[in-house]
């Protein structure tokens, strides 16, 4: 069966492990496509996708647009900074105006948690969440887990530590859900002030000691500090954060085994990760970006199959 249990992708929380395996198998096929001289398939010539970005993005926006174009769908792009949202239009009005142009699928990034779910219940189009505030970033978690599977053969049984600003991170929450559904053990590591109080309910281990966390894990996913979601300071200074939680080559080389280093981007070199670690042979950061296109092709393709037409 190649049929997802969902109509929209608003969060990893809604996916079954079987859904994730279907997405990964489809991603395997699309990875072959994007490594061919002709990187395009005609699968979605009859689909129009609107990319609605109400918040800044580099990787996710480009990756979705490329994925849509590789599937031969028609694409329109909307950015709130250059739109009538600035003139007071509501999210629903903006989206409904766009949908009246006969749009089949909406990819939305929004600063408010729940924006994608809200839309999915109100509009007649398939919705994909490209990041909603500090809530979820499902395609990022899927590409992260796919990259671990590609590098280590499987996700099940692997130990993954997510380091940094867990409190404000949609990547962390989606990764925790996704990795656990695939049978990985998850630890979060960071200053007490950047670990949410509800973390124990998620069934993850918690460490405030970077070296201890790195000795435990097979994979370390380093997150940046989400300054755009912090109205107050959660640690004394970047220098002190880096001294306690910044991953340097010296620490990496001193570990008793070789671990895999990941980062969802954007990277703050010299803060959460040093340049020589980000560019080291243990880093799969650029593989994550490459896999993002194939994973998003798979998600769009599988959800488009559920559209009545
Ligand atoms: N990883 C990620 O979501 O990056 P962007 O904010 O550049 O899309």
């Amino acid at each position: 069966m190649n049929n997802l249990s969902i109509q929209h992708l608003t969060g990893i929380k809604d996916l079954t492990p079987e859904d994730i395996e279907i997405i990964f198998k489809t991603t395997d096929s699309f990875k072959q496509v994007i490594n061919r001289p002709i990187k395009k398939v005609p699968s979605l010539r009859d689909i129009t996708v609107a990319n609605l970005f109400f918040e800044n993005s580099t990787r996710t926006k480009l990756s979705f647009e490329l994925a849509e174009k590789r599937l031969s769908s028609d694409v329109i792009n909307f950015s709130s900074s250059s739109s009538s949202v600035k003139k007071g239009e509501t999210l629903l009005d903006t989206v409904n105006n766009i949908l009246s142009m006969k749009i089949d699928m909406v990819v939305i990034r929004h600063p408010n948690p729940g924006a994608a779910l809200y839309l999915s219940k109100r509009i007649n189009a398939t919705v994909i969440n490209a990041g909603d505030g500090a809530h979820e970033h499902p395609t990022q978690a899927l590409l992260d887990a796919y990259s671990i599977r590609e590098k280590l053969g499987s996700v099940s049984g692997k130990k993954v530590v997510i380091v940094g600003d867990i409190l404000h991170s949609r990547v962390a929450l989606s990764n925790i859900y996704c990795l656990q559904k695939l049978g990985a053990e998850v630890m979060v590591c960071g200053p007490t002030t950047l670990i949410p109080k509800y973390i124990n309910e998620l069934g993850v281990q918690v460490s405030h000691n970077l070296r201890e966390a790195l000795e435990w894990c097979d994979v370390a996913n380093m997150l940046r500090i989400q300054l755009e979601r912090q109205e107050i300071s959660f640690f004394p200074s970047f220098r002190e954060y880096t001294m306690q939680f910044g991953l340097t080559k010296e620490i990496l080389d001193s570990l008793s085994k070789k671990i895999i280093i990941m980062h969802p981007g954007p990277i703050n070199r010299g803060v959460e990760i040093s340049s020589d670690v980000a560019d080291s042979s243990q880093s799969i950061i650029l593989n994550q970006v490459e896999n993002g296109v194939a994973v998003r092709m798979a998600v769009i393709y599988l959800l488009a199959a559920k559209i009545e037409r």
Side-chain angles (χ1 to χ4, degrees):
M1 278 281 280
N2 269 353
N3 200 1
L4 294 181
S5 68
I6 49 162
Q7 301 291 331
H8 309 272
L9 180 58
T10 58
I12 296 288
K13 202 171 184 183
D14 304 328
L15 294 178
T16 63
E18 293 72 33
D19 286 329
I20 300 173
E21 282 307 328
I22 291 169
I23 293 169
F24 285 178
K25 285 212 175 79
T26 312
T27 303
D28 289 339
S29 307
F30 284 131
K31 261 211 95 164
Q32 289 177 16
V33 170
I34 62 176
N35 282 299
R36 291 194 315 223
I38 297 173
K39 301 171 175 54
K40 228 173 154 157
V41 286
S43 317
L44 298 188
R45 275 186 305 195
D46 58 338
I47 291 284
T48 304
V49 186
N51 297 314
L52 311 184
F53 278 72
F54 294 84
E55 198 187 58
N56 293 341
S57 169
T58 303
R59 277 145 293 271
T60 312
K61 191 163 183 280
L62 291 177
S63 182
F64 265 112
E65 189 174 343
L66 201 53
E68 292 147 9
K69 289 180 172 169
R70 298 269 192 255
L71 290 166
S72 301
S73 53
D74 288 326
V75 179
I76 57 166
N77 289 305
F78 163 95
S79 159
S80 62
S81 57
S82 56
S83 77
S84 292
V85 170
K86 295 267 177 236
K87 300 174 194 162
E89 195 168 60
T90 65
L91 171 63
L92 199 54
D93 278 340
T94 301
V95 174
N96 274 328
N97 273 277
I98 295 167
L99 288 179
S100 64
M101 301 176 211
K102 309 285 177 235
I103 304 297
D104 304 289
M105 193 175 281
V106 169
V107 174
I108 180 168
R109 169 167 288 194
H110 200 279
N112 295 350
L117 181 66
Y118 173 84
L119 272 194
S120 72
K121 291 182 185 304
R122 284 165 180 82
I123 65 171
N124 187 23
T126 302
V127 174
I128 300 177
N129 182 3
D132 60 335
H135 180 223
E136 280 228 41
H137 192 349
T139 56
Q140 180 70 47
L142 288 167
L143 74 90
D144 289 343
Y146 183 86
S147 302
I148 294 172
R149 171 186 181 263
E150 186 177 64
K151 188 73 186 175
L152 299 179
S154 77
V155 177
S156 180
K158 301 298 179 298
K159 293 178 174 174
V160 182
V161 65
I162 306 170
V163 182
D165 182 359
I166 313 301
L167 182 66
H168 301 99
S169 174
R170 54 196 175 210
V171 173
L173 189 60
S174 286
N175 259 268
I176 290 168
Y177 289 143
C178 191
L179 292 165
Q180 288 180 336
K181 282 175 196 263
L182 295 174
E185 281 183 69
V186 185
M187 178 185 280
V188 295
C189 175
T192 316
T193 49
L194 290 176
I195 306 283
K197 290 196 172 53
Y198 60 80
I199 198 74
N200 291 331
E201 291 161 31
L202 296 176
V204 302
Q205 299 186 51
V206 180
S207 171
H208 303 295
N209 181 317
L210 180 65
R211 184 175 288 279
E212 183 185 273
L214 295 174
E215 279 293 358
W216 172 85
C217 75
D218 302 302
V219 178
N221 195 351
M222 306 301 296
L223 304 183
R224 76 186 169 90
I225 303 295
Q226 311 259 313
L227 286 178
E228 70 275 28
R229 284 186 248 289
Q230 298 183 15
E231 279 155 19
I232 56 164
S233 193
F234 285 77
F235 47 86
S237 69
F238 272 120
R239 196 159 156 268
E240 273 146 308
Y241 178 83
T242 302
M243 278 167 63
Q244 261 195 289
F245 295 101
L247 178 53
T248 62
K249 195 77 169 51
E250 192 191 349
I251 299 174
L252 192 63
D253 290 345
S254 72
L255 300 176
S256 56
K257 63 178 177 201
K258 277 206 180 300
I259 61 168
I260 306 300
I261 304 303
M262 301 175 71
H263 196 306
I267 292 177
N268 288 316
R269 287 175 184 260
V271 180
E272 70 274 11
I273 189 168
S274 65
S275 271
D276 47 6
V277 173
D279 302 332
S280 73
S281 58
Q282 284 165 257
S283 160
I284 59 165
I285 295 171
L286 293 180
N287 305 71
Q288 290 172 257
V289 179
E290 181 188 338
N291 288 336
V293 177
V295 164
R296 290 178 174 119
M297 285 174 81
V299 167
I300 294 164
Y301 175 82
L302 291 164
L303 286 176
K306 310 206 87 175
I307 299 173
E308 277 182 31
R309 51 198 206 264

